[in-house]
Amino acid sequence: MDADRNPFEYVRPLRPEDVTGRDALVDRLVGAVRARHIVAVAGPRRFGKTSILGRVAQIAEQVDAVDVVTVDCFGLASLGEFAVRLETAMSGLRGPARRLASRLLAPSELGLSITPGVGFKVRFGQRDAPDASAVLHALLDTLVAVSEQRGGLLLVLDEFQDVARVEHLDAVLRTHLQHAREVAVLFAGSRPSLMRALFEDRTRPFYAQAEIIEVERFDVDTAAGIVEDGFAATGDDAGPGGEIVAHATEGHPQRLMLVAHLMWELVDPGGAADAEVAGAALEAAHARTEAEHRATVDGLDRTHRDTLRAVAGYGSPYARAAERTLGLARSSVQGAVGALTADALLERTSDGAWRVVDPLLAHWLRATLPPPGGVRTSRR
């Protein structure tokens, strides 16, 4: 590690070799890939799913010689758009797998190609473009054929919950993948409740077709260790700052990296982070994320907003103090709780407690709560 380079990346996914603190999860997913299983990986945004998937894909390619195709489903609007993304993703196949896929696609009357600049991806939306459904079936047929002839393939579908927006797409995928014995599939999504619904709802095509694995927060010891190791890699010392930051960010992966990044910037080369430096880094993080928090809250209606504030300030949307200071009626809170949980803004912990997913948002919300003696409304 370059001593002048900040070791804490918080904006982009980590390089596969930089993923740390996730050994057990990575090993579990690698085992699933080797067994050619179908797995759904669920966790809120910024919990490191893409980084974890990248690490698993690297092991599949470099250790197990398994071909990998990764499709980002974020914001997906149509079946045709998914076909474009899949065709483009298949262009990432290498060597023999790429040549095989090209040879299998060549006879198609649909004009498909994994060569950049040609294929369905450049004709999509045009009047003479082939039927998107036929294109998707042909691409999936090719993918399965490559897996069979090559002895294995990993298909990664990131932000898979957005597939629910496209009618029949998950049904088409299931038709091809459920009997594809040499294809391992990793579905990943940032809205855990919706991801679970895709695989636990009897009306959905992938019902009971995948093992669901949750991406958890770091525990405090792991989080502190990540900060300490990052400082040590550049010849610095996290001091007590590592543990302070780990507790303050509640093991939230991206928020941990953000605050650690800022704390590293405040320490002189070869120096150590004390409690004062950790506090300054937290204040800098709060200032940096304030506009983001405001935008998040401004996009909510009053009941949803105040339900979040109740959890941040009082630990429960049903707390009597929340009812008094925020005017929350229990009858309206229940719907808000469901919606906020679906959007991964709110979560329930293993011990049944409520928590705002983002600890920095929770801090900001507490700062905006009315004082205990503030405006009160009559109980209903």
Side-chain angles (χ1 to χ4, degrees):
M1 172 68 71
D2 186 341
D4 295 325
R5 179 181 176 185
N6 196 311
F8 302 104
E9 173 61 65
Y10 69 93
V11 177
R12 295 179 294 268
L14 298 176
R15 295 179 301 179
E17 57 271 20
D18 291 338
V19 174
T20 185
R22 297 296 195 184
D23 291 350
L25 177 55
V26 168
D27 288 346
R28 185 177 178 184
L29 293 174
V30 167
V33 172
R34 288 171 176 165
R36 306 293 188 260
H37 288 172
I38 298 177
V39 176
V41 182
R45 290 181 61 241
R46 300 170 172 169
F47 265 43
K49 293 182 302 301
T50 300
S51 298
I52 293 167
L53 294 175
R55 176 61 178 150
V56 174
Q58 181 189 62
I59 294 172
E61 286 187 312
Q62 297 182 3
V63 177
D64 299 332
V66 171
D67 303 311
V68 178
V69 172
T70 300
V71 183
D72 185 353
C73 302
F74 181 76
L76 197 66
S78 69
L79 190 147
E81 186 177 5
F82 181 83
V84 168
R85 295 189 191 188
L86 178 58
E87 186 186 49
T88 302
M90 289 171 65
S91 67
L93 290 169
R94 303 172 185 174
R98 182 183 180 85
R99 292 191 292 273
L100 174 58
S102 295
R103 186 166 69 250
L104 292 171
L105 288 172
S108 172
E109 297 179 354
L110 300 171
L112 307 183
S113 175
I114 60 174
T115 302
V118 295
F120 180 67
K121 51 188 168 289
V122 299
R123 298 171 63 192
F124 177 54
Q126 297 180 10
R127 185 171 299 178
D128 64 343
D131 177 71
S133 179
V135 167
L136 182 54
H137 282 290
L139 289 171
L140 290 169
D141 281 340
T142 299
L143 203 67
V144 172
V146 169
S147 76
E148 292 172 347
Q149 294 188 42
R150 294 270 301 154
L153 183 142
L154 169 59
L155 174 63
V156 180
L157 298 174
D158 204 1
E159 297 298 343
F160 184 70
Q161 74 280 338
D162 285 2
V163 165
R165 301 177 181 178
V166 182
E167 189 175 11
H168 304 312
L169 177 52
D170 51 351
V172 173
L173 290 170
R174 180 183 182 275
T175 297
H176 290 268
L177 298 177
Q178 67 173 332
H179 299 303
R181 302 301 181 189
E182 294 299 332
V183 179
V185 186
L186 295 181
F187 299 105
S190 57
R191 297 178 66 184
S193 61
L194 182 52
M195 281 290 290
R196 285 191 293 272
L198 286 170
F199 298 95
E200 294 178 349
D201 184 340
R202 291 178 179 273
T203 67
R204 304 298 307 198
F206 275 107
Y207 169 71
Q209 294 288 307
E211 176 188 8
I212 301 176
I213 297 177
E214 297 272 356
V215 178
E216 305 287 351
R217 297 165 182 264
F218 294 123
D219 60 62
V220 171
D221 289 342
T222 300
I226 289 171
V227 178
E228 292 162 2
D229 290 347
F231 270 73
T234 59
D236 303 303
D237 183 0
E243 190 169 348
I244 293 170
V245 169
H247 279 283
T249 57
E250 300 176 3
H252 186 294
Q254 192 272 348
R255 294 322 197 191
L256 174 74
M257 299 298 277
L258 167 61
V259 180
H261 180 102
L262 295 171
M263 186 167 70
W264 187 88
E265 295 285 344
L266 293 171
V267 174
D268 293 330
D274 56 19
E276 183 178 354
V277 171
L282 283 164
E283 286 300 315
H286 292 315
R288 182 168 296 196
T289 56
E290 180 178 3
E292 175 189 336
H293 300 327
R294 195 175 299 280
T296 296
V297 171
D298 285 348
L300 304 174
D301 66 27
R302 179 178 176 180
T303 300
H304 289 67
R305 179 174 65 248
D306 288 346
T307 299
L308 267 185
R309 296 170 74 192
V311 173
Y314 305 114
S316 171
Y318 305 108
R320 289 184 179 274
E323 187 175 355
R324 291 194 301 269
T325 60
L326 297 171
L328 280 172
R330 183 175 292 264
S331 59
S332 60
V333 167
Q334 291 179 339
V337 164
L340 292 168
T341 302
D343 288 337
L345 291 172
L346 195 62
E347 65 180 354
R348 200 155 198 180
T349 63
S350 58
D351 60 1
W354 291 101
R355 174 167 58 186
V356 176
V357 171
D358 181 351
L360 300 188
L361 173 59
H363 177 276
W364 184 82
L365 288 165
R366 284 191 290 272
T368 65
L369 277 169
V375 177
R376 297 174 182 267
T377 61
S378 60
R379 296 184 63 185
R380 297 184 182 181

